[in-house]
């Protein structure tokens, strides 16, 4: 089995203790961090499909997610790159009702790597908490919202509305996550949408330039 296939299989199987070592071995062997990440994302797609098919349940999905996060932790210093530039401040969080954070963490890592100071509010973040965080950080220039569930898309919409209604200005709002589309972003009045972490990093740089 190739190293990437081995990583994928072990993420799928939720081998939290094995995955970090395999990821480090792959880096040492010269694999690109982005290829390793792609193998782990593929694993999560398989896990999601098996969950949809009723072949596995929430605990298996949870442990696979933990294994992926452990692998991402090993990749983080490589993906983070040079942070010397200072492009501003970004507040990020997964919206209320949603506990998925692996994608949001990757987005935070990639936006941070382009030179933003990141304030990560975590998961299940209420609209009030987002508004409060912006008030506490008046120099914020990006607010980034993530949602992974179709059932939390309304929560994203309410969050954007609450931020707009607060009257606070001087920042742009970017949204993303598996069920989110450009069309939905436009509908809820976000300033930008990105399909993945790399795209989010490119987009926020455009938004502040
Ligand atoms: Co959940 N879950 N989950 N889950 N889970 C999905 C999302 C699902 C698609 C699985 C499936 O059914 N096939 C499905 C959602 C269906 C839907 O709504 N359309 C689902 C479900 C149903 C659920 C529960 C409701 C299950 C239940 O309890 N019955 C439950 C909900 C809990 C809650 O949130 N309230 C639940 C729970 C969980 C766990 C806690 C067990 C675990 C999360 C662990 C964690 O995050 N710490 C989990 C997992 C692991 C998954 C899957 C398998 C993997 C998610 C993941 O990490 N992917 C997922 C299936 C799948 O994704 N194929 C699934 C890898 C990650 C790198 O990708 O998060 O998409 P992703 O992030 C990408 C992009 O989306 C984008 O960039 C990221 C990186 O490139 N992106 C942004 C994300 N945020 C962005 C923000 C941006 C821009 C881009 O700008 C700001």
């Amino acid at each position: 089995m190739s190293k990437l296939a081995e990583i994928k299989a072990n993420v799928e199987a939720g081998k939290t203790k094995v995955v970090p070592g395999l990821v480090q071995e792959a880096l040492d062997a010269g694999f690109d961090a982005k290829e390793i990440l792609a193998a782990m994302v593929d694993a999560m797609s398989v896990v999601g499909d098996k969950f949809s098919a009723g072949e596995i349940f929430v605990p298996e999905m949870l442990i696979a997610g933990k294994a992926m996060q452990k692998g991402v932790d090993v990749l983080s210093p490589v993906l983070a790159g040079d942070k010397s530039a200072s492009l501003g401040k970004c507040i990020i969080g997964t919206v209320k009702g949603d506990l998925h954070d692996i994608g949001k963490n990757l987005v935070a890592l990639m936006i941070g790597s382009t030179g933003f100071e990141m304030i990560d509010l975590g998961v299940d973040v209420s609209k009030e908490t987002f508004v409060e965080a912006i008030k506490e950080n008046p120099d914020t220039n990006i607010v980034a919202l993530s949602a992974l569930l179709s059932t939390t898309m309304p929560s994203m919409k309410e969050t954007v509305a609450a931020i707009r209604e607060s009257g606070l200005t001087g920042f742009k709002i970017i949204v993303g996550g598996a069920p989110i589309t450009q069309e939905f972003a436009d509908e809820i009045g976000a300033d930008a949408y990105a399909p993945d972490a790399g795209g989010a990093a490119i987009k926020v740089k455009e938004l502040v330039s």
Side-chain angles (χ1 to χ4, degrees):
M1 199 188 282
S2 76
K3 187 56 79 186
L4 294 180
E6 206 181 338
I7 290 172
K8 185 176 171 219
N10 278 278
V11 169
E12 266 178 60
K15 302 284 186 192
T16 50
K17 292 200 173 126
V18 178
V19 169
L22 288 174
V23 170
Q24 189 59 57
E25 283 171 27
L27 283 175
D28 294 344
F31 283 94
D32 188 90
K34 289 189 179 128
E35 307 178 74
I36 303 170
L37 183 61
M40 295 197 285
V41 171
D42 280 355
M44 297 315 279
S45 297
V46 174
V47 168
D49 290 347
K50 285 187 176 170
F51 176 77
S52 296
E55 291 168 26
I56 61 166
F57 301 96
V58 171
E60 287 97 327
M61 198 155 68
L62 184 62
I63 194 76
K66 283 193 174 152
M68 166 141 188
Q69 187 60 57
K70 293 265 182 202
V72 170
D73 290 346
V74 177
L75 290 181
S76 293
V78 186
L79 290 170
D82 174 21
K83 291 185 174 180
S84 53
S86 180
L87 290 180
K89 192 181 270 189
C90 172
I91 293 175
I92 191 166
T94 303
V95 299
K96 181 85 189 152
D98 203 318
L99 301 175
H100 296 85
D101 68 354
I102 299 169
K104 183 266 297 167
N105 294 344
L106 276 172
V107 172
L109 183 71
M110 297 304 284
I111 294 179
S113 76
T114 66
F116 282 85
E117 179 189 341
M118 300 303 297
I119 298 181
D120 190 340
L121 302 177
V123 296
D124 193 20
V125 183
S126 69
K127 55 189 180 188
E128 293 84 4
T129 301
F130 274 108
V131 171
E132 204 49 45
I134 301 166
K135 277 187 190 153
E136 281 168 13
N137 296 277
D139 53 343
T140 297
N141 37 19
I142 299 287
V143 178
L145 310 180
S146 177
L148 257 289
L149 297 170
S150 39
T151 50
T152 53
M153 291 169 72
S155 178
M156 179 176 268
K157 182 178 180 177
E158 285 166 21
T159 305
V160 173
I163 294 171
R164 298 296 188 212
E165 281 159 20
S166 71
L168 296 162
T169 53
F171 52 84
K172 304 279 188 190
I173 303 176
I174 179 168
V175 296
I180 309 303
T181 59
Q182 180 66 59
E183 196 185 8
F184 180 72
D186 293 342
E187 184 193 314
I188 66 175
D191 298 298
Y193 157 79
D196 54 32
I202 294 168
K203 195 65 92 170
V204 294
K205 271 177 99 171
E206 287 170 11
L207 288 173
V208 297
S209 65

